[in-house]
Amino acid sequence: MSDFQERFPVTMPQIVRWGDMDAFGHVNNTVFFRYFESARIAYFDRIGWWEVQQKTGIGPILADTSCRFRRPLTYPDTLQVGTSVRDLGKDRFQMDYVIWSEKLQTVAAEGTSLIVSYHYGEHHKAPLPTELREAIERLESAHPRHED
């Protein structure tokens, strides 16, 4: 588990709620995307995106997302959701997610998303502001990725 936390610049605990489960007795597939979303927002909090958006009008927009479901999750469980950024481009980057189940002691899901830098006032994609790019680079350089 400590290796998991070292791999990702942002990790967060997530409690599986009874209501996260569906009629099949496991966490519904749509809920995994909410877990990813919570980690993504925590990452954006860490790099100060909301303050930059207030100054520039440029915010994140989710262009694509996917999930590889590896193990079914059930209530009760505590998860650790880790996220990192790779493929930092001019106006976009890829985010990776991993969900670790404390009950199962293994990875339950892995996912990705494509985030595009978007000017909400002008309704078009925009270059990623320099201060955000630098914040991402600082955060990522402190957490080198390890392949399993």
Side-chain angles (χ1 to χ4, degrees):
M1 180 48 133
S2 64
D3 181 52
F4 177 84
Q5 291 172 321
E6 290 172 8
R7 284 178 52 200
F8 297 96
V10 175
T11 61
M12 58 177 299
Q14 178 68 55
I15 303 299
V16 174
R17 299 169 304 186
W18 176 261
D20 290 347
M21 293 193 304
D22 60 20
F24 297 108
H26 56 75
V27 172
N28 186 275
N29 62 311
T30 62
V31 177
F32 286 75
F33 291 100
R34 282 188 260 166
Y35 298 157
F36 292 165
E37 177 186 54
S38 293
R40 182 169 55 250
I41 297 305
Y43 194 104
F44 294 163
D45 287 344
R46 281 282 290 281
I47 64 171
W49 199 320
W50 314 125
E51 294 81 6
V52 172
Q53 184 173 351
Q54 285 198 332
K55 291 187 289 188
T56 65
I58 297 171
I61 195 163
L62 181 65
D64 185 56
T65 190
S66 66
C67 182
R68 170 80 166 101
F69 304 98
R70 298 213 172 265
R71 300 281 186 275
L73 295 173
T74 57
Y75 173 87
D77 198 352
T78 300
L79 312 172
Q80 292 296 324
V81 184
T83 188
S84 62
V85 166
R86 65 181 164 90
D87 300 334
L88 191 55
K90 178 183 174 193
D91 60 5
R92 66 193 62 219
F93 54 86
Q94 189 83 31
M95 293 191 86
D96 293 323
Y97 311 98
V98 173
I99 297 175
W100 171 269
S101 164
E102 290 186 8
K103 180 164 60 174
L104 301 174
Q105 288 295 293
T106 193
V107 171
E110 298 167 301
T112 62
S113 64
L114 178 64
I115 306 301
V116 174
S117 180
Y118 189 80
H119 196 295
Y120 281 88
E122 298 174 6
H123 309 287
H124 60 78
K125 66 182 179 177
L128 190 64
T130 302
E131 73 183 275
L132 289 176
R133 176 179 301 284
E134 291 171 354
I136 291 169
E137 289 170 346
R138 274 192 309 275
L139 192 54
E140 292 296 328
S141 67
H143 296 272
R145 297 176 62 97
H146 303 286
E147 298 305 320
D148 292 333

